[in-house]
Amino acid sequence: MIPITYELIKTDKQTGARLGRVHTPHGSFDTPTFMPVGTLATVKTMSPEELHSMQANIILSNTYHLWLRPGEDIIEEAGGLHKFMNWDKAILTDSGGFQVFSLSDMRQIEEKGVHFRNHLNGEKLFLSPEKAMHIQNALGSDIMMAFDECPPYPATYDYMKSSVERTSRWAERCLEAHKRPDTQGLFGIVQGGEYEALRKQSASDLVSLDFPGYAIGGLSVGEPKEVMNQVLEFTTPLLPANKPRYLMGVGSPDALIDGAIRGVDMFDCVLPTRIARNGTCMTSNGRLVVRNAKYARDFTPIDENCDCHVCKNYSRAYIRHLIKCNETFGFRLTTYHNLHFLLKLMEQVRTAIKEDRLGDFKESFFEQYGLNQE
Ligand SMILES: CNc1nc2cc(C(N)=O)ccc2[nH]1
Ligand SMILES: [Zn+2]
């Protein structure tokens, strides 16, 4: 039994975007979709009930962080991550590959795996394809990610080539070590940086291993957005049309729209929750730094075009006051609104695909959001 299946419903006549539906053991979700990030088994300051109310249908959690705290053994003993955090819809866990390369300073990559230091206490740690599979099997996530190397940007062709080849060997070891292929779907991660030949090599290695879904990795690591869009342009067509495509670590409203246009189905990013905690909100007219003094007597909602309960019941002045006083409720309000904004944006993208007008939608959204058209 394959636990993760994808239904391609239609493609947009104006662009390469696809309307689809992903089925998982913890429910289905329409795509393109955005996944709120719940690093330490919580989408920071949000309750599961609030995530339900904004119609989040899948969230992401980080294997590296949960391995360190509280430990996958405790979560397994609780009955798995869904039970532990009282979330009954889909969960995707990443493999820890990215955190090892982004969080820890000392690290030594070898064929067997990666030696590095715990970013919390400096102790020596080791992660491998087998260990990453063991942890994710213990967490019980619906979608697991293969253990890969996310190389720095920029990287030389030679470095990238040997990294892609090792990531492909690691992907095979992940399939070998995965203990629950009937209830947890394992996605391969395509690497190769900005090099088309290496993206081709990585994609063909992974497609031949027949994963139930594929992620495009190695992006949103400091490259210009034109490079990201170019890499997507020549990478998504290499992936099977009947499987989900997940662009890791993206992103901003414009990157979500540009990714969907190039055939991406799933996105995750800490941006909406992270900027919320320093008092910045996404609105249909661009970003709004609600902690700014000019909002001290502004009794209008964060976004007059938003139908979320925050915009219906609370003013910029009130939210600014809470943020300035470092009141937790203030961060809860900005977080709820930002997540609702991105989830709503993806709903508008899906409707635009249905009506074959995603290109037009991009124009009008970019115009209103204040993004200069390239
Ligand atoms: C925030 N940017 C980002 N790039 C990523 C790349 C990967 C990857 N495995 O290549 C994973 C998570 C990522 N997050
Ligand atoms: Zn709102």
Side-chain angles (χ1 to χ4, degrees):
M1 185 270 199
I2 300 177
I4 303 293
T5 54
Y6 175 73
E7 220 184 312
L8 173 55
I9 294 166
K10 79 178 284 279
T11 51
D12 173 41
K13 288 199 173 54
Q14 280 188 349
T15 68
R18 343 178 312 143
L19 181 69
R21 199 161 165 70
V22 176
H23 303 282
T24 85
H26 283 88
S28 306
F29 54 91
D30 295 326
T31 59
T33 195
F34 176 78
M35 302 182 282
V37 173
T39 295
L40 286 162
T42 164
V43 176
K44 289 184 173 30
T45 79
M46 290 290 97
S47 68
E49 293 75 13
E50 285 168 319
L51 292 169
H52 277 155
S53 73
M54 63 176 75
Q55 292 165 49
N57 291 312
I58 178 167
I59 62 167
L60 179 143
S61 250
N62 292 114
T63 295
Y64 169 80
H65 292 285
L66 293 173
W67 172 42
L68 266 46
R69 295 181 297 180
E72 76 282 359
D73 49 332
I74 289 176
I75 294 177
E76 187 166 34
E77 224 174 287
L81 190 52
H82 291 87
K83 197 118 181 40
F84 188 56
M85 67 183 290
N86 184 34
W87 175 252
D88 60 358
K89 293 186 174 178
I91 298 177
L92 180 147
T93 46
D94 68 358
S95 65
F98 181 74
Q99 275 71 34
V100 165
F101 298 104
S102 65
L103 275 178
S104 63
D105 43 7
M106 184 296 270
R107 66 176 171 271
Q108 189 204 330
I109 314 177
E110 56 186 52
E111 188 61 27
K112 189 115 183 48
V114 188
H115 298 272
F116 59 98
R117 285 197 189 283
N118 179 327
H119 75 291
L120 300 167
N121 60 16
E123 75 174 15
K124 286 207 166 91
L125 291 172
F126 178 71
L127 250 188
S128 64
E130 291 75 19
K131 180 74 180 165
M133 292 302 104
H134 169 80
I135 298 167
Q136 293 179 83
N137 281 152
L139 298 176
S141 46
D142 301 286
I143 300 176
M144 298 164 45
M145 301 310 291
F147 186 70
D148 64 331
E149 180 192 358
C150 172
Y153 177 82
T156 64
Y157 185 89
D158 290 349
Y159 181 88
M160 192 61 80
K161 183 164 172 45
S162 61
S163 172
V164 161
E165 287 161 355
R166 182 170 49 224
T167 284
S168 294
R169 292 192 296 273
W170 283 358
E172 287 194 70
R173 284 169 49 188
C174 287
L175 282 167
E176 271 302 300
H178 182 13
K179 293 281 179 290
R180 300 205 182 105
D182 291 353
T183 56
Q184 295 178 266
L186 174 60
F187 281 18
I189 304 179
V190 176
Q191 293 290 353
E194 66 210 278
Y195 306 105
E196 184 165 7
L198 297 181
R199 287 283 176 184
K200 279 194 173 128
Q201 183 181 342
S202 180
S204 89
D205 290 351
L206 298 177
V207 170
S208 65
L209 294 171
D210 196 21
F211 286 98
Y214 294 90
I216 298 158
L219 291 175
S220 192
V221 287
E223 76 283 358
K225 69 177 176 183
E226 296 70 33
V227 171
M228 178 190 290
N229 286 334
Q230 186 56 35
V231 169
L232 291 176
E233 209 88 49
F234 60 64
T235 302
T236 49
L238 305 171
L239 300 173
N242 65 336
K243 293 183 177 178
R245 300 154 181 175
Y246 160 33
L247 175 55
M248 306 181 86
V250 172
S252 58
D254 53 309
L256 293 177
I257 295 172
D258 276 333
I261 283 173
R262 290 166 179 79
V264 174
D265 308 305
M266 297 162 65
F267 302 87
D268 88 273
C269 192
V270 294
L271 190 73
T273 39
R274 183 168 293 171
I275 64 172
R277 292 196 301 282
N278 64 36
T280 298
C281 296
M282 296 171 169
T283 81
S284 45
N285 301 306
R287 281 193 181 192
L288 181 128
V289 183
V290 75
R291 63 180 308 129
N292 198 309
K294 66 181 168 186
Y295 301 117
R297 288 181 168 74
D298 182 340
F299 302 105
T300 65
I302 285 175
D303 184 348
E304 79 265 3
N305 302 316
C306 180
D307 61 354
C308 86
H309 85 262
V310 175
C311 293
K312 283 186 185 142
N313 298 293
Y314 303 96
S315 70
R316 292 171 177 184
Y318 176 62
I319 295 170
R320 175 182 179 275
H321 157 64
L322 295 179
I323 299 275
K324 295 292 280 182
C325 300
N326 210 23
E327 278 292 341
T328 303
F329 188 51
F331 303 118
R332 282 177 30 73
L333 293 171
T334 52
T335 299
Y336 188 100
H337 165 79
N338 281 357
L339 287 173
H340 176 277
F341 180 85
L342 283 191
L343 290 165
K344 187 83 185 192
L345 173 62
M346 298 318 278
E347 191 186 319
Q348 291 170 303
V349 164
R350 295 193 296 269
T351 303
I353 296 169
K354 246 177 241 158
E355 298 167 1
D356 293 317
R357 56 176 179 77
L358 185 54
D360 299 338
F361 175 75
K362 169 178 170 174
E363 296 268 322
S364 58
F365 181 88
F366 275 43
E367 177 62 32
Q368 189 173 352
Y369 199 77
L371 291 156
N372 49 350
Q373 289 281 10
E374 45 272 7

